[in-house]
Amino acid sequence: MTVTDLFAGEIATELLKVLFSISRRACLCKSTADALITSTNQLLPIIQEIKYSGVELPAARQFQLDGLSETLRGGLELSRKALACSRWNVYKMLQLARRMERLEKRISAFLHGPLQAHVLADVHHLRFDSVERFDRLDCSARQLEQRLESLKIGVGDGGGGGGGGWMEEAVKRVDAEEQRWEGNLVTVLGVGMAEGKKRVKEMVIERDELGIVGICGIGGSGKTTLATDLCRDDEVRCHFKNRILFLTISQSPDVEQLRAKILGFIAESDHGSGSFGCYDGFIKEAPGGRVLIVLDDVWSLSVLEQLIFRIDGCKTLVVSRFKFSTVLGASYEVELLKGDEAVSLFCQSAFERSFIPPGSDANLVNQIVNKCKGLPLALKVIGSALRGQPEMYWASAKKRLSRGEPICESHENKLLDRMAISVQFLPKKVRECFLDLGSFPEDKKIPLDVLINMWVEIHDVDEEEAFAILVELADKNLLTLVKDARLGFFPLSSSSSYILSKIASHSKFNKKVVNVVNVWGIRAGDLYSSYHDISVSQHDVLRDLAIHMTNRGEINERKQMIMPRREMELPREWERNADNPFCAQIISIHTGEMNEMDWFAMNLPKAEVLIINFSATTYFLPPFIHNMSRLRALIVINHGSQNATLRNLSVLSTCSNLRSLWLEKVTITTLASSNPETTPLTNLRKISLVLCNINNTLDSILPSTFPSLSELAIDHCDDLIHLPSITSQFHSLKSLSITNCHNFRQLPTNLGDLKRSLHILRLYACPSLRMLPRSTCQLSRLKYLDVSQCVNLRSLPEGIGKMAGLEKIDMRECSEVFCVPDSAASMESLRCVICDEEVSWSWKGFEKIGLHVQVAEKHFNLDWLHE
């Protein structure tokens, strides 16, 4: 400290004495002097503490204290002048009073500005020092536990049994204490956490009608931190009169003991498990007033249901990685950190300060922070792992994170292994489906149709079970379902009508479907729903976990071969091991432009799914597809800014087992080989063309080449003007979907030839379509017709009444259709029509028994523009 600071306390003391005299003698300065006395009284103890603490301060703080000392010295001189001034010199006394007011404001500004920042910084340093010490304590406790485990020290069986040991309980207490220390993170996590706390507090203390509420989020997102801080909040403690019980449930809880503890707490009893039976079922109201029960780390719905007591005055807060939508009245999903908050938390772990230090590579730091995607646990663990390491180590860590690999042993143990807990207890098939998500690029939405098709092909499940698995993963926050923000309600328009209705009636999946109904707004029992406008996204840390778990073992023995990020060429590890067959079931390739000579031979006898992601203007499909005899699903997606010319498509003609083909953002020259001797793809069921330039390619899709084609989906293909008449010769075609094709004008006039097969006809958002061909009325087996957002469609066909099997029509935003043909009255199977208010009266006029006319709500939302 400087000499100025050493004497700052003495200066303030002398100033106080003078101010007391002024307040007694100078009436014009009295109020100002009194205010200065108050401020200096607040400041003096702080200066004294700093003076005698013996702690060397940073330069910035030292500079500010120098300034404070000068301010106090000026105040001392000013007060002496006021003391010496004649009480009759009113003008001079007035001047001095104004100067003293300015002095008081400067002191007050310091107290409420820099001083508060100093205190906050000290709290941050104290918190992270404490966390480090508890980390070391935790490590020591675990080592001690491992050493004593061989001694079989336990309780409940004379010291030798498996009833759990005292050391296990001690470690649990250490874990619990560490979690409570993490509550101090709230001061670091900033505005986002404060907003989350505000919303949870509202559910807990303001909404009395909600007895059970929740906090959910992926592992490491700060759920326990938020719940712990909420329990410390003065307003919450006052509301519940300090009657708050915080219990950690974990994966293998003693339910009876927990029930006894909860009931005893509610009944204000401490009798233990032996007496809980006398309370169970008899307590109708908490005797001592309101109570808050916090159930942290809940893993099982069945366990949760046993620990919930619907008693007046009892509020339950459930903290879990799972959403438990069937139980919770309301829940808050923890938001991840953004921008400066993420950087601040990372820097606290990596540099022990809240900002990037001068001289550090800010770009490299920000790149690593971005890899954490706002997950507090990842920011803390990765920051700690990089603390004190050289810049080359940081650069290596960034590359390893890009490949989904751990940067060091502590990263693997603390982060990936902790995240893996969410996956380890999943059923085997659900776990395998989770691991498949690592096959798709980071930060890219996965079309739900692609995912469902892939799971159906490789996991021996039908679409109903695949959909249920998807919902289960979403419920556990292992993926996120994203619907098109341009739609005001969930799109209902394709082949999964049957799926939703069948799952809903299945005892195994009905609760999960209810959850989806609640979250997405799907009407229960709605048939012919679609997921063509639904995507799946996944946090990068969860994707890294999936890649980490699939990359174990020798590469030739792995079930998945994944390129985690885009590379200029195939991995060298693949080429080095190409002499032996690969056993992988899924191959995921992510490259730039590839020519014929860029590929090398690979023997993939068990490959069933090939996912190709690339960014280029031309792309040569891998020649080794020719030898993939088991290939069932091929997904080709271009992420470049322009459509890519796809070459070597003829190699597909050799894939006799291919069932599903997805092509996105490519220019297609042909979909069938020109060689007449080519073996027909008898197993190909579905073709999806998205954002493609098709260049009249559909003329080459011959019924003889694809004799089993049952689904044809064309989306956002702007050069599609009409469907060729040959389309009507695909007599196995069940679903025809043309969506968002703005130049599409005409269906084939002989579309009625599909009367024995076509069940679904979707023509969504095709503004150039003006009419449906008359032969549409011959589609006697058609069950669902979607012409929504066909804004220039003039009318429905006059003979629509002949479509005896039609069950549902979606004609929202068909602004030119003002009336309904009279023949529609004879459609006996029709039970649901979705339309605008202007035309709804025409349908309601039929007064058909069982017909529900749903007026579509209009939504105007621009949230999708950022995409």
Side-chain angles (χ1 to χ4, degrees):
M1 290 188 180
T2 64
V3 176
T4 303
D5 295 310
L6 289 175
F7 292 99
E10 284 78 357
I11 295 170
T13 304
E14 189 173 350
L15 175 60
L16 267 179
K17 294 177 182 178
V18 176
L19 289 175
F20 277 120
S21 298
I22 291 175
S23 67
R24 288 193 299 267
R25 293 181 53 192
C27 59
L28 289 175
C29 299
K30 182 174 177 59
S31 61
T32 304
D34 287 341
L36 266 175
I37 290 170
T38 302
S39 298
T40 311
N41 258 328
Q42 293 174 349
L43 193 57
L44 181 59
I46 299 172
I47 297 172
Q48 296 287 5
E49 183 179 350
I50 295 173
K51 177 181 175 181
Y52 296 110
S53 66
V55 178
E56 185 176 354
L57 297 176
R61 265 195 232 186
Q62 192 72 53
F63 177 79
Q64 289 176 336
L65 284 176
D66 285 342
L68 177 61
S69 299
E70 292 299 326
T71 301
L72 291 175
R73 180 176 283 107
L76 181 60
E77 294 299 323
L78 182 62
S79 60
R80 284 173 177 166
K81 289 180 182 180
L83 187 62
C85 182
S86 171
R87 65 187 304 173
W88 305 111
N89 192 344
V90 178
Y91 176 74
K92 187 173 182 180
M93 289 294 293
L94 183 60
Q95 284 185 317
L96 291 172
R98 289 176 177 172
R99 290 175 63 185
M100 292 173 72
E101 286 179 1
R102 290 196 293 270
L103 176 66
E104 192 274 337
K105 288 179 180 178
R106 290 181 63 183
I107 295 174
S108 179
F110 179 81
L111 290 175
H112 295 93
L115 184 61
Q116 299 292 332
H118 292 176
V119 173
L120 183 60
D122 289 337
V123 171
H124 290 177
H125 288 303
L126 177 63
R127 187 260 159 211
F128 278 92
D129 287 343
S130 301
V131 169
E132 282 189 355
R133 292 175 184 177
F134 271 97
D135 283 342
R136 290 195 294 269
L137 178 61
D138 177 61
C139 181
S140 300
R142 292 185 187 280
Q143 291 175 355
L144 183 60
E145 179 192 18
Q146 292 172 357
R147 292 175 184 175
L148 293 179
E149 190 176 35
S150 59
L151 301 178
K152 296 183 179 179
I153 300 176
V155 294
D157 61 348
W166 60 266
M167 181 54 66
E168 180 183 357
E169 294 300 319
V171 172
K172 287 182 178 180
R173 286 196 296 271
V174 171
D175 289 339
E177 192 64 30
E178 181 186 19
Q179 290 178 346
R180 282 164 175 73
W181 272 99
E182 287 184 357
N184 293 326
L185 268 176
V186 175
T187 57
V188 181
L189 300 186
V191 178
M193 186 65 77
E195 177 62 25
K197 179 180 174 181
K198 177 182 176 182
R199 291 171 61 180
V200 177
K201 187 192 292 189
E202 179 186 346
M203 293 189 301
V204 169
I205 67 177
E206 295 182 15
R207 301 185 62 181
D208 293 334
E209 77 278 9
L210 297 176
I212 308 166
V213 297
I215 300 174
C216 65
I218 67 174
S221 60
K223 303 180 297 297
T224 300
T225 299
L226 176 56
T228 305
D229 189 66
L230 183 80
C231 293
R232 293 178 179 147
D233 184 85
D234 291 338
E235 190 177 353
V236 174
R237 298 188 71 85
C238 179
H239 181 79
F240 292 100
K241 298 180 180 179
N242 288 323
R243 299 189 67 207
I244 301 175
L245 177 63
F246 192 106
L247 295 175
T248 301
I249 307 306
S250 73
Q251 296 167 30
S252 302
D254 185 335
V255 177
E256 293 299 312
Q257 187 180 47
L258 289 170
R259 282 174 59 85
K261 188 175 294 186
I262 295 171
L263 281 165
F265 183 80
I266 296 173
E268 297 186 319
S269 169
D270 193 24
H271 296 165
S273 60
S275 63
F276 99 89
C278 66
Y279 299 119
D280 196 14
F282 293 98
I283 300 177
K284 301 301 181 184
E285 183 177 355
R290 290 186 291 254
V291 296
L292 175 63
I293 309 297
V294 182
L295 305 178
D296 184 38
D297 197 24
V298 181
W299 286 79
S300 167
L301 177 61
S302 60
V303 168
L304 176 60
E305 289 174 336
Q306 296 180 69
L307 298 179
I308 289 176
F309 298 94
R310 302 182 187 277
I311 298 172
D312 291 343
C314 177
K315 177 86 71 169
T316 303
L317 175 62
V318 180
V319 184
S320 177
R321 303 184 184 200
F322 312 143
K323 296 178 180 177
F324 297 129
S325 304
T326 56
V327 174
L328 303 180
S331 65
Y332 170 71
E333 187 162 355
V334 175
E335 297 180 2
L336 302 181
L337 302 184
K338 299 177 183 177
D340 293 341
E341 292 178 357
V343 172
S344 177
L345 179 57
F346 178 83
C347 290
Q348 288 286 359
S349 292
F351 306 114
E352 298 184 334
R353 60 188 69 187
S354 60
F355 55 88
I356 301 174
S360 299
D361 187 341
N363 185 48
L364 180 59
V365 172
N366 285 319
Q367 287 178 333
I368 293 177
V369 169
N370 290 337
K371 290 293 179 185
C372 299
K373 294 297 178 184
L375 186 66
L377 177 64
L379 290 162
K380 176 176 178 280
V381 170
I382 294 175
S384 298
L386 295 175
R387 183 189 306 153
Q389 298 295 343
E391 192 169 320
M392 288 291 290
Y393 188 91
W394 282 61
S396 172
K398 186 198 74 171
K399 291 183 179 180
R400 293 180 68 84
L401 288 172
S402 298
R403 295 193 296 266
E405 301 173 358
I407 60 177
C408 61
E409 184 179 355
S410 65
H411 174 217
E412 181 173 3
N413 293 339
K414 290 185 178 180
L415 179 59
L416 295 181
D417 285 356
R418 180 167 169 181
M419 300 296 291
I421 295 174
S422 301
V423 182
Q424 290 169 353
F425 293 91
L426 293 173
K428 180 181 178 183
K429 197 156 289 186
V430 178
R431 184 168 63 249
E432 290 175 348
C433 289
F434 167 79
L435 297 180
D436 293 341
L437 294 171
S439 305
F440 296 89
E442 64 178 349
D443 299 326
K444 302 292 184 184
K445 292 179 181 177
I446 308 169
L448 184 54
D449 215 5
V450 167
L451 206 54
I452 293 290
N453 285 346
M454 184 173 79
W455 289 346
V456 167
E457 298 301 336
I458 65 176
H459 293 305
D460 298 323
V461 297
D462 51 25
E463 288 193 29
E464 302 96 305
E465 188 172 355
F467 187 81
I469 289 172
L470 177 93
V471 174
E472 183 168 352
L473 290 173
D475 264 351
K476 290 175 170 55
N477 282 298
L478 293 172
L479 57 80
T480 302
L481 293 166
V482 183
K483 64 179 179 180
D484 192 334
R486 290 167 289 186
L487 300 176
F489 58 91
F490 198 82
L492 302 172
S493 39
S494 175
S495 60
S496 55
S497 55
Y498 168 70
I499 296 175
L500 271 183
S501 59
K502 193 165 182 181
I503 300 177
S505 63
H506 198 296
S507 60
K508 181 179 179 182
F509 302 131
N510 55 1
K511 288 187 178 179
K512 294 183 173 61
V513 173
V514 170
N515 294 346
V516 177
V517 170
N518 292 338
V519 174
W520 292 343
I522 304 176
R523 288 198 318 108
D526 231 332
L527 297 183
Y528 314 111
S529 60
S530 167
Y531 26 69
H532 81 285
D533 279 314
I534 314 170
S535 300
V536 171
S537 65
Q538 187 179 43
H539 194 282
D540 280 5
V541 175
L542 290 172
R543 178 177 179 269
D544 291 347
L545 172 63
I547 294 173
H548 176 66
M549 295 178 70
T550 56
N551 281 349
R552 294 170 178 168
E554 298 296 329
I555 185 171
N556 292 81
E557 303 299 323
R558 295 174 189 166
K559 293 191 67 175
Q560 288 111 333
M561 290 175 58
I562 298 172
M563 291 179 62
R565 64 174 184 176
R566 186 169 68 89
E567 303 282 3
M568 297 304 296
E569 56 187 12
L570 295 183
R572 296 177 184 175
E573 184 183 21
W574 293 11
E575 187 172 9
R576 283 196 302 269
N577 292 274
D579 292 340
N580 297 316
F582 295 95
C583 296
Q585 191 179 22
I586 300 175
I587 314 296
S588 177
I589 296 172
H590 196 183
T591 66
E593 181 174 339
M594 295 290 281
N595 297 310
E596 184 174 6
M597 300 305 296
D598 294 327
W599 301 102
F600 52 81
M602 295 177 66
N603 187 2
L604 300 160
K606 296 184 179 181
E608 297 183 23
V609 175
L610 176 60
I611 304 171
I612 300 176
N613 290 278
F614 68 93
S615 299
T617 54
T618 61
Y619 196 86
F620 193 92
L621 289 179
F624 54 71
I625 292 179
H626 178 81
N627 297 320
M628 298 172 71
S629 58
R630 292 192 182 183
L631 187 64
R632 297 161 68 88
L634 175 62
I635 302 154
V636 181
I637 301 177
N638 171 29
H639 298 285
S641 58
Q642 301 178 11
N643 281 50
T645 301
L646 208 57
R647 299 166 54 202
N648 198 32
L649 262 172
S650 59
V651 73
L652 302 183
S653 61
T654 62
C655 301
S656 57
N657 284 311
L658 189 65
R659 295 170 59 91
S660 176
L661 175 63
W662 179 286
L663 301 177
E664 183 169 335
K665 210 171 185 179
V666 297
T667 297
I668 308 167
T669 54
T670 180
L671 276 176
S673 173
S674 57
N675 186 354
E677 298 181 0
T678 299
T679 304
L681 298 182
T682 55
N683 289 303
L684 188 65
R685 300 286 195 273
K686 183 171 185 177
I687 296 177
S688 300
L689 307 176
V690 180
L691 290 164
C692 291
N693 292 333
I694 55 180
N695 297 325
N696 298 320
T697 303
L698 299 181
D699 293 333
S700 67
I701 303 181
L702 303 175
S704 58
T705 308
F706 309 117
S708 302
L709 188 66
S710 60
E711 292 187 52
L712 177 60
I714 305 172
D715 183 50
H716 283 93
C717 294
D718 287 342
D719 65 343
L720 177 68
I721 298 176
H722 68 277
L723 277 184
S725 58
I726 198 171
T727 307
S728 299
Q729 297 183 24
F730 287 89
H731 297 300
S732 59
L733 195 64
K734 294 182 179 179
S735 174
L736 176 60
S737 174
I738 302 174
T739 59
N740 299 293
C741 295
H742 295 168
N743 293 311
F744 179 71
R745 300 176 183 175
Q746 186 178 354
L747 287 165
T749 57
N750 59 345
L751 185 66
D753 292 348
L754 296 174
K755 58 186 176 183
R756 295 184 178 180
S757 62
L758 197 64
H759 288 181
I760 296 170
L761 177 59
R762 187 197 308 129
L763 305 167
Y764 166 72
C766 296
S768 297
L769 183 67
R770 294 180 177 273
M771 61 178 294
L772 301 178
R774 292 182 180 179
S775 63
T776 305
C777 301
Q778 300 174 18
L779 300 173
S780 57
R781 295 194 176 183
L782 193 72
K783 296 182 179 297
Y784 176 57
L785 174 64
D786 181 3
V787 290
S788 58
Q789 295 192 26
C790 292
V791 294
N792 287 308
L793 185 68
R794 300 297 175 85
S795 63
L796 296 176
E798 287 294 332
I800 194 172
K802 298 178 182 178
M803 303 170 74
L806 194 60
E807 298 177 0
K808 181 176 178 180
I809 300 175
D810 190 344
M811 51 182 296
R812 293 166 291 113
E813 298 185 48
C814 293
S815 54
E816 296 295 321
V817 179
F818 293 106
C819 59
V820 178
D822 294 337
S823 64
S826 61
M827 298 167 61
E828 297 180 357
S829 299
L830 187 65
R831 57 180 184 79
C832 181
V833 175
I834 305 175
C835 60
D836 296 334
E837 187 173 4
E838 293 81 2
V839 74
S840 62
W841 62 271
S842 297
W843 286 105
K844 292 177 181 178
F846 292 129
E847 296 183 352
K848 275 175 53 64
I849 297 176
L851 175 61
H852 172 65
V853 180
Q854 179 181 338
V855 177
E857 296 182 14
K858 294 185 179 180
H859 295 260
F860 302 95
N861 190 338
L862 298 181
D863 292 343
W864 55 274
L865 286 175
H866 73 280
E867 300 179 6

